[in-house]
Amino acid sequence: MTTRRGLLALPLAGAFAAPATAQEQPPMRRRLATLKLGANLERWYTITKDNQPRRLGVGWWRGFRAAGFDHVRIFLPEVAQTGSSMDIPALYLNAVKDAVEAGLPVFLGVADFFYQKKPWADRDWEGMRARAQFFAERTDPSMVALAPLNEPIFEDTASWLPVRDRLLADLRRAAPRHTLMWGGRDWHSAPSLVECSPPADPNTIAEAHDYQGTQSPGRFQAVAAWRDRNRIPVIVSELGGAVGHETNRSAWAADLAQVLPELKRLRLPVTLWSYSHGRYWRLQNGDEPMPKPDLIPPGMLSAR
């Protein structure tokens, strides 16, 4: 059987964007206001099954959209897992193209974690820039937003913001027309987002990740207030239930039943974690593009 290491070895055949007026918002910033509910696909599911490369295809994505999801978030593994070759990113590009052809906007992270205590080496920075250019040249800015990484882990916001700004600047040089996405220093948590000042780049959106369920009331109101104050669109790009409910389906469903309607009232689009995440937080029913029944509250899925 081909291992993941074997899969990795398989061959495959400028400056900031100009400021936009309220009437000339970049397409993905405008589009965010129309989105309701999407889902993340786990890092490898999109491109491999049982350690064999695969392509889900447009039909799978159409089924995912028909199930009621109106967008998807995908992110690539760390550069250290794939090397500097574009072979693995090219597999992800196929997934992005198929999702877009099915009518789904894609939020794409071009790299994974950045730990303050273990900062990126030159190879990681170079890999992120190369991936960003690869996707920027091959994807539609009106349907694809790019993030420099999945999640940062920093001790304080003062330490994170200069790194965030460098990441966005490098990404912008590689992708002059795409909307860029970023979040707070603590795994992109909602509380860490509202500690942040906006970046200089006018064509960005912010993201928040949340695994608190019904705990910490008021955190999303604070996010919505930050959005309105700074005039930066926000998406809750990872939402699970409370930590501890990973395999407790009824408790997870109860979390979603309370949190999702609140986010809808606050006009915060949501991307659930995770459609295909193995043993826990798994929305997917088998290998199908349909979710398991009784997890998502009625009326939350988009009508198709």
Side-chain angles (χ1 to χ4, degrees), residues 60-79:
W60 191 95
W61 289 105
R62 286 177 177 147
F64 179 82
R65 188 167 183 259
F69 296 105
D70 59 19
H71 67 277
V72 63
R73 179 173 176 262
I74 303 169
F75 57 90
L76 277 67
E78 297 161 282
V79 173

Side-chain angles (χ1 to χ4, degrees), residues 84 86 124-135 138 174:
S84 58
M86 288 298 112
D124 300 301
W125 284 98
E126 291 166 3
M128 187 277 288
R129 289 190 290 264
R131 288 174 171 187
Q133 184 171 353
F134 177 82
F135 284 100
R138 294 165 175 82

